[in-house]
Amino acid sequence: MSYLKQGVLAAAMMLAATMTSPHQVHAEQCEQQSFEEAKYVICTLEAGKADLRLFWKGADGAPYRTFSSLADAVRAEGKTLVLAVNAGMYRGDFSPMGLYVENARELKPANTAKAESSAGQVPNFYKTPNGVFFLGETGAGILPTDEFLKRAPKVRFATQSGPMLVIAGKLNPIFIPGSTDRTRRSGVGVCGTGTVRLAVSEDGVNFHDFARLFRDNLKCPDALFLDGGNGVGLYSPAIGRNDRSWHGGYGPMLGVVE
């Protein structure tokens, strides 16, 4: 090969590398969609291809709390955080409410407690059934907590949240059509052959409509609620999002690393 051809080839390779930066590769992963007049950001991931992980604490033992702090920690390892969401409800010290597994280590046990209602209201985490989103040997999955504990699958990452939105293709029967309990919500679904879909509502929606988004629009037979209201958060530089929590930070986070 001549030096001229070698130079042209090298230039082409450099141009291709420039055009396929992590953010551009993932630019189409998240897109705005509407379902029954409500607006959402939907992010689609192939669990077997995307480096999907759970994060909670940094090397100093303190919770990351913000997407920016997590992005800085990932960058210090020579990688890039290209997408992240809040990965479930958390306590005042930013610790997970329930089961939390990171790199095959159980850092928090499953929470099977039954919460008493306060003024007729049951906290979302304790609405039955709650469930576990996990990444294991067979890919991504979502199971009601009791079923997850019975099967005891080997997992690398797992986070418990609740309530379940869709269970084996059926809406959680506790949801009320037309409910006036409307707020921004976030959730995760496992669809088709293990595709993971994250949904963050831009408008206030009730649980019944949010669950139908996963079952009827995204075709996810299993879906889990992650958080609502001021706890909803999305990080995606590709679409200019770096949300902050009004609770002073986030607890566990689900992120994609390149």
Side-chain angles (χ1 to χ4, degrees), residues 81-218:
L81 182 70
V82 296
L83 174 66
V85 295
N86 170 9
M89 279 158 274
Y90 47 95
R91 303 182 186 278
D93 62 356
F94 306 102
S95 64
M97 285 284 292
L99 177 70
Y100 181 81
V101 177
E102 185 177 318
N103 293 320
R105 294 178 57 228
E106 182 180 294
L107 303 183
K108 284 288 183 178
N111 183 344
T112 58
K114 308 297 182 184
E116 295 183 4
S117 62
S118 175
Q121 296 294 319
V122 176
N124 287 331
F125 180 88
Y126 296 101
K127 290 178 178 176
T128 57
N130 61 24
V132 177
F133 169 76
F134 59 92
L135 297 166
E137 294 177 343
T138 58
I142 296 174
L143 288 170
T145 300
D146 289 348
E147 186 67 22
F148 178 87
L149 295 176
K150 287 179 183 178
R151 296 189 189 185
K154 291 184 179 180
V155 299
R156 186 181 177 200
F157 295 100
T159 181
Q160 182 184 4
S161 191
M164 289 285 294
L165 298 170
V166 186
I167 309 165
K170 296 182 179 180
L171 301 185
N172 190 326
I174 68 172
F175 299 152
I176 303 170
S179 170
T180 58
D181 179 15
R182 307 177 71 85
T183 188
R184 292 184 64 224
R185 302 186 189 276
S186 63
V188 58
V190 176
C191 327
T193 57
T195 299
V196 176
R197 287 197 167 92
L198 303 168
V200 175
S201 74
E202 301 292 75
D203 300 311
V205 295
N206 61 37
F207 271 121
H208 189 270
D209 293 346
F210 193 46
R212 287 190 58 247
L213 167 79
F214 280 99
R215 187 192 66 176
D216 301 341
N217 188 52
L218 301 179

Side-chain angles (χ1 to χ4, degrees), residues 238-257:
I239 60 172
R241 290 286 291 269
N242 184 5
D243 298 349
R244 298 184 67 87
S245 170
W246 288 86
H247 297 308
Y250 300 108
M253 305 179 200
L254 183 63
V256 178
V257 172

Side-chain angles (χ1 to χ4, degrees), residues 55-56 64 66-75 81 84 253-255:
F55 301 90
W56 173 25
Y64 289 111
T66 68
F67 294 131
S68 294
S69 295
L70 175 57
D72 289 343
V74 171
R75 189 178 303 112
L81 182 70
M253 305 179 200
L254 183 63

